[in-house]
Amino acid sequence: CSRPNPGVQRRSGPGTRAEYVRRATTMSEAADSFKDIAVPEGSDRRELYKSPYRAIYTYKMSAQELDEKFREAITGDHQKGGWQIKNDERVKYVGKLEVSKEVSEDGDPSNKKKLDYKVSFEDYPEAGMSALKYYTIQSYTK
């Protein structure tokens, strides 16, 4: 067996570029939603924290621009869309709101469950950034 460079061994598995690309792709797909709520694309989006109960994302854009992207992402006519905004307590795009959606369980349209989550917008104009936080209702009230 002749190799072009006998001193270099090809590796596969954890730590290789292929594994890194696979994990990065999986992570970016997971970062596109929190509990089936779409996370909007935006300028320099970063996931700061994510757990089963909440998620925090920052953006290099104003809260007003983030609001536009958020509304497009959650209310659109696509798989992760169809959410309703309710209890919007925000002032100048900053503050809390709730989102709600009815989904059928097990494909049975008569068996629906209601999903409710809290969303918080923060604006940091001096840094040209804003933050979007998603919470489950249970974690928000504790």
Side-chain angles (χ1 to χ4, degrees), residues 1 23 36 40 46 51 58-59 64 66 73 75 81 85 92 98-99 101-102 104 111 116 123 125 134-135:
C1 172
R23 268 193 276 138
D36 292 330
R46 296 184 186 209
S51 76
T58 60
Y59 295 83
Q64 180 178 359
L66 181 56
T75 61
I85 296 174
K92 295 185 180 178
E98 292 180 22
V99 294
K101 182 178 184 179
E102 282 191 3
S104 59
N111 187 15
D116 292 307
D123 195 17
Y134 292 89
Y135 304 90

Side-chain angles (χ1 to χ4, degrees), residues 58-111:
T58 60
Y59 295 83
K60 190 92 172 136
M61 59 197 323
S62 70
Q64 180 178 359
E65 293 170 309
L66 181 56
D67 176 70
E68 292 171 15
K69 296 283 189 181
F70 176 75
R71 288 176 184 275
E72 289 171 14
I74 69 159
T75 61
D77 188 21
H78 49 81
Q79 183 181 359
K80 295 194 190 287
W83 291 86
Q84 305 238 327
I85 296 174
K86 61 181 195 176
N87 298 336
D88 191 345
E89 303 170 4
R90 296 176 301 156
V91 176
K92 295 185 180 178
Y93 307 102
V94 176
K96 300 177 284 192
L97 59 84
E98 292 180 22
V99 294
S100 179
K101 182 178 184 179
E102 282 191 3
V103 296
S104 59
E105 291 185 343
D106 305 326
D108 181 6
S110 64
N111 187 15

